[in-house]
Amino acid sequence: MSNTRSRNPVARVLMGVLVFQLGLGALLILGDMQGLRLPSFGPSAPRLTEPVQPGDQRRTFRPDRDRPVTRPARDPGTLPDRLILTQSEGTTYRLEGGIKAGDAERIIGQLRNLTPTPETVILQSPGGSVQDALTLGRHLRSAGIKTQMLAGEFCYSACPYVLAAGTERMISEDASVGVHQHYFGENSFLPAAFAVEDIQRGQGEVMQYLNDMGIDPMVMTRALSTPPDEIYVLLPEELKAFGFIPPD
């Protein structure tokens, strides 16, 4: 009975994603055949520097230009292009920067060789490679490592998948967590029909991963409705509803 229940959220979201992707696939194939570009609907989202409120949570995603309206306890300066692991205090370490292809293998190697053994990882990242985020997240979970976000810091795009992996997730109410659509597959020049296949396979893997980590895969409804050049900032009550943080 418990196994059936655990699969239901994934099946439910996969059905919605299938309908969405079929429509997207039809538009992409039509665009390939006729040389058309998909139209843009509605006004562009406000900049990330604008505060969010319920119902107004989509912001333009330019992490090289804008940062959320928060008051971090420390200014990290310009974040590195790739993930950097540094010791914060004792068994707590910081993981900051963009997530590039190959970062998971490199960071996992560092985590295995650290003394003292990491117990908590503080995250701050604009995101990047989904596959590396999932691989790194699986290692954090298997190693029993907690994840944390401090007040005023942010975790966007693929970063929330790493955040989800913590055996305990400690997220300040003043931290900023955001999701959006991702690109899947290595070749952006594939015909549209094959590109959609990559997207479907990638989304299925992400939703199964979230379910395995105890996160409600329905969070993907927020991601799928937000284009890659925008970010949907999750409110504290949504982080609780989707299981990123425990209920009061």
Side-chain angles (χ1 to χ4, degrees), residues 49-194:
T49 51
E50 295 293 322
V52 299
Q53 56 187 346
D56 178 27
Q57 294 157 250
R58 281 171 53 166
R59 295 292 180 266
T60 55
F61 187 57
R62 285 281 306 276
D64 59 326
R65 181 190 69 181
D66 297 332
R67 290 194 179 177
V69 185
T70 57
R71 296 180 179 177
R74 58 183 280 277
D75 182 1
T78 301
L79 290 176
D81 292 335
R82 305 188 74 104
L83 285 177
I84 299 295
L85 183 66
T86 57
Q87 187 175 22
S88 176
E89 182 179 2
T91 59
T92 299
Y93 292 80
R94 274 191 166 274
L95 193 57
E96 295 183 299
I99 306 173
K100 300 292 187 182
D103 277 355
E105 182 179 359
R106 177 173 56 84
I107 295 298
I108 289 171
Q110 293 176 11
L111 288 168
R112 285 173 172 160
N113 294 320
L114 285 173
T115 302
T117 301
E119 294 182 1
T120 302
V121 170
I122 300 171
L123 298 170
Q124 180 158 232
S125 171
S129 167
V130 175
Q131 195 59 56
D132 280 75
L134 301 183
T135 300
L136 179 55
R138 291 190 184 98
H139 174 78
L140 295 182
R141 175 58 63 90
S142 66
I145 296 175
K146 304 172 186 176
T147 53
Q148 184 175 6
M149 286 198 64
L150 302 183
E153 302 190 351
F154 60 89
C155 180
Y156 294 147
S157 186
C159 177
Y161 304 140
V162 182
L163 178 64
T167 53
E168 181 181 344
R169 296 177 286 269
M170 300 164 285
I171 306 173
S172 168
E173 285 195 359
D174 294 323
S176 185
V177 180
V179 296
H180 63 180
Q181 297 169 12
H182 297 294
Y183 295 110
F184 293 95
E186 297 180 358
N187 191 342
S188 60
F189 298 100
L190 285 173
F194 295 103

Side-chain angles (χ1 to χ4, degrees), residues 1-7:
M1 179 67 71
S2 61
N3 287 340
T4 301
R5 288 179 179 174
S6 67
R7 285 195 297 267

Side-chain angles (χ1 to χ4, degrees), residues 20 40-61 156 177-181 221-235 238:
F20 173 83
S40 175
F41 299 98
S44 59
R47 291 178 63 167
L48 193 56
T49 51
E50 295 293 322
V52 299
Q53 56 187 346
D56 178 27
Q57 294 157 250
R58 281 171 53 166
R59 295 292 180 266
T60 55
F61 187 57
Y156 294 147
V177 180
V179 296
H180 63 180
Q181 297 169 12
T221 61
R222 306 297 193 270
L224 288 172
S225 64
T226 307
D229 60 351
E230 296 180 5
I231 200 77
Y232 180 94
V233 180
L234 294 163
L235 298 174
E238 290 176 306

